[in-house]
Amino acid sequence: MSLVAFATLALSLFGSSQAAFDNTCNDNLVQYWGQNSYGAANPSNTASYQKTLSFYCGDSTTNAFPIAFLNVFFGTGGEPEIDLANICSSSSDPVFPGTQLANCQFLASDIQTCQAAGKIVTISLGGATGGGTFSSDAQAQSFADQIWNLFLGGTSSTRPFGAAVLDGVDLDIESGSQSYVPFVNQLRSHFTGASKKYYITAAPQCVYPDAAIGATLNVASFDAIYVQFYNNPCGLTHYSDGSYTWNFGVWDYWARHISPNPNVKVYIGAPASSSAAGSGYVPIATLQTIAQQTQKNFPSFGGVMFWDASQSYANGRYDVATKSALTSAGACGGAYTYQACTAPAFSATASYPVGSTVSYGGYQWYARYYASGPPVGSDDSNAWRALFACGGTSTGSTTTKATTTSAAPTSTKATTTSKAVTTTPASGGSCSGVAAWSSAATYTAGLDATYNGQLWQANQWNYNEVPGGASGAWNLVGTCASKRSVEAGSARRGVKFARD
């Protein structure tokens, strides 16, 4: 069945249901709207350019729409600026006097139509090239007051969307290292006692911790994060390529153990078509599998986020097929059934070769490379990668290497009987067939390279990190002299010469 035919069938089955947004569900679909991403990538196909917001609210597929973007924080006249591409902007629409803030009040009815259909509509701040910095906590708090008055429950004579009251704020901050904690906390102070529910979300890169917003995520309370698993080395295309750089487990650990809000939801952020991002797009069947397995494997999972609505509609309603996969096993109310821990419990006295699995701290883990220390859930460069959250007593033996996995993190695993043994790196290594280290290459944990007559193995993802350098990203295997002893079941993986 084609994607279009599937979408038509799915719409006929659930297209008329208009339940209110529920942040406790794990089958939500979020689509950014405002940037005409499809039109920007396909300028000759004007028929598929972004439509007004209400066009995308006619069925129950999408649960939330962040409007993208408020791209200038402090513009002319002290007011911010918004740019909604072909729909509304200061370059093509009226602005409020003395400012460059576009008057988009004709969108009020669109927003209200979507809200009446059970959707939430938020304003997204930043974007790939937008945003701003605060000179002080007081300025951050004042800006939060301004956002409240312009877009949310406050009052102002320069409200871009008129009488429409948005449902919250999204932070898509992709540069700088500004703390947004005072801003978020000030917004929360307005939300307290308000007549409606408001939400605060963020869209970090999947590389953990996020360089721009990571510190804020650890201190301020967010309702959901839309993690961008595209244009990154931890993106969707690496889910089952054997590199184990796909890292949703790190974000689940963050949600459950570090976030001030233990009920925060984590979404898979994905490009909705091949032209929506530089990398990270996967066919619909692949995304359906990833979404369903992640929904099963991690309790913080909230659903899927797309960049963007124009792309998903032009791509044969990619959104409908995704939503169908999510709702087939979706649940609300925070209920989650933990899988049994099937791997042996981690032992501090054992060492583990590549491919070993252990149970530790409520997760089942996979050794991406030789490991002796315990799994560290908040360390993305750690030897261990979380496969899934689990509960109960481990059913595996503590004296055996638990499993050897196939490439896909959640695929069925074949049990082995080899022991987890303590080993030390060989004094030398065979460098035959191993490429020389290159400053232009990216390396994931477990990759080998030669440098200055020695064999090195990466212990974390790295780029332009010299073997033996201060970063500590490489382990010395030995000189290029004797044949290297390779642990059974381990394999050398190829170098990638381009950033994703």
Side-chain angles (χ1 to χ4, degrees), residues 193-254:
S195 60
K196 62 178 284 184
K197 171 70 175 177
Y198 292 96
Y199 300 88
I200 299 179
T201 61
Q205 308 296 310
C206 61
V207 177
Y208 182 90
D210 180 87
I213 198 72
T216 297
L217 293 176
N218 292 346
V219 179
S221 179
F222 287 78
D223 297 289
I225 58 170
Y226 311 138
V227 183
Q228 298 183 47
F229 288 101
Y230 51 94
N231 297 335
N232 279 301
C234 38
L236 286 160
T237 52
H238 300 291
Y239 179 79
S240 59
D241 67 355
S243 69
Y244 287 88
T245 53
W246 160 261
N247 67 344
F248 192 96
V250 172
W251 288 101
D252 182 80
Y253 185 92
W254 167 84

Side-chain angles (χ1 to χ4, degrees), residues 113-138:
T113 295
C114 293
Q115 291 172 326
K119 327 290 186 184
I120 63 168
V121 183
T122 63
I123 183 69
S124 184
L125 279 55
T129 60
T133 58
F134 304 123
S135 61
S136 65
D137 288 356

